[in-house]
Amino acid sequence: MGRKRITVTLLALTLVAAAALAALGDVVGSFKAPGANTRGLARSSTRLYLLNFGSPSRIYLLAPVTGSVYDSWAIPFGNNCRGLAYAASGHLWVGNYGNDYVYDCRPATGSIYRSWSAGHDPYGLAPYCTGDGGVGTTAILTSDYDPAFYWRHNPANGSILSSHRIRNASFMDIAWDHRNKLVWMGTTGNRIYGYTTTGVVKASFTVPSNFAYGLAYYNEILWIGCDGNNYVYRVECPGTVTVWPASWGRVKALYRD
């Protein structure tokens, strides 16, 4: 019994230590993306949606951890698409920078419920929500490179509810972190920035590859689709981001299919 107690105690201490070591930007997994040009990511409770830029552009429905492909569909409204946002009510929002429109689609098939003009190039999209997987979505966030802003839109008609200037212009995807109340944004380099609801940079970290075109948040994890090597990374995003992290993209564990 003594040995069993010691073993259980050591295991518990190991798990606690591992949890304590989890830091913003630590890579916990990765997989090769389908296609060659990831341009947006979104998370539901069971799927990771990936926008692949091409002719035609496609949306892939993936297993969030392994990247296994369940299904895909061709985007029916043009190839100039970037940015994805998923709402738990069963809506997948897709940005089109060719005509400045955002399309509200059925996630399984791509059939269009509605669309509206963002009034700018909607390069990045995210659900403004209160829970993981787009639970409690009340608005759609969009971002642009020029002007360097992010906006909060009414999901029904696209009317602008608020807007904020950002420090680092980017035409990459964004993710809404409802725990930390941060908008995470990719860059052409290998750095990710976290902006407050007033547009102030609160934190940043690096990822192993460049061109973070896809970004999605779920349960204290960020999914990051990098065009530099065509991999999707899962990185730690603790719910208590308060200062610039001591860990700068430390690789905790890296898995490849």
Side-chain angles (χ1 to χ4, degrees):
M1 292 296 292
R3 288 183 179 179
K4 289 183 179 179
R5 287 197 185 99
I6 291 172
T7 300
V8 171
T9 301
L10 288 175
L11 177 59
L13 290 173
T14 300
L15 292 174
V16 169
L21 288 173
L24 177 63
D26 283 356
V27 177
V28 296
S30 72
F31 58 82
K32 193 78 169 179
N37 301 287
T38 298
R39 290 296 181 269
L41 292 175
R43 258 301 311 254
S44 74
S45 60
T46 59
R47 297 287 184 266
L48 177 70
Y49 297 90
L50 183 147
L51 191 165
N52 179 255
F53 186 87
S55 184
S57 294
R58 297 191 72 84
I59 301 292
Y60 288 89
L61 285 65
L62 308 177
V65 174
T66 66
S68 298
V69 177
Y70 289 110
D71 204 351
S72 71
W73 43 266
I75 294 176
F77 42 81
N79 297 324
N80 298 316
C81 295
R82 290 184 182 175
L84 287 180
Y86 178 87
S89 52
H91 296 260
L92 185 68
W93 303 84
V94 186
N96 187 316
Y97 66 89
N99 61 9
D100 293 355
Y101 265 69
V102 173
Y103 294 83
D104 176 9
C105 302
R106 184 181 179 188
T109 65
S111 58
I112 302 170
Y113 293 126
R114 65 177 63 84
S115 65
W116 39 260
S117 174
H120 63 90
D121 294 329
Y123 288 124
L125 266 70
Y128 186 75
C129 56
T130 58
D132 293 323
V135 170
T137 296
T138 57
I140 299 299
L141 299 173
T142 65
S143 64
D144 195 358
Y145 176 82
D146 185 16
F149 272 78
Y150 77 79
W151 294 261
R152 192 165 54 94
H153 297 266
N154 183 317
N157 58 25
S159 61
I160 295 175
L161 304 175
S162 64
S163 64
H164 300 285
R165 183 179 294 278
I166 54 178
R167 189 182 74 182
N168 304 289
S170 173
F171 47 81
M172 308 300 182
D173 200 9
I174 59 176
W176 169 245
D177 175 352
H178 64 89
R179 288 180 174 84
N180 290 299
K181 303 296 186 294
L182 293 177
V183 176
W184 295 102
M185 183 175 294
T187 64
T188 52
N190 63 345
R191 201 164 194 75
I192 306 294
Y193 291 92
Y195 291 90
T196 68
T197 52
T198 58
V200 176
V201 173
K202 185 175 184 179
S204 77
F205 62 92
T206 60
V207 288
S209 185
N210 296 335
F211 302 101
Y213 276 103
L215 218 58
Y217 174 87
Y218 189 92
N219 193 27
E220 299 191 32
I221 295 290
L222 278 170
W223 276 255
I224 304 171
C226 293
D227 208 34
N229 62 0
N230 199 38
Y231 267 78
V232 175
Y233 295 92
R234 292 184 298 117
V235 307
E236 296 279 3
C237 186
T240 53
V241 176
T242 55
V243 295
W244 295 79
S247 169
W248 297 88
R250 221 170 34 206
V251 176
K252 184 177 179 181
L254 187 61
Y255 305 98
R256 295 187 176 182
D257 293 346

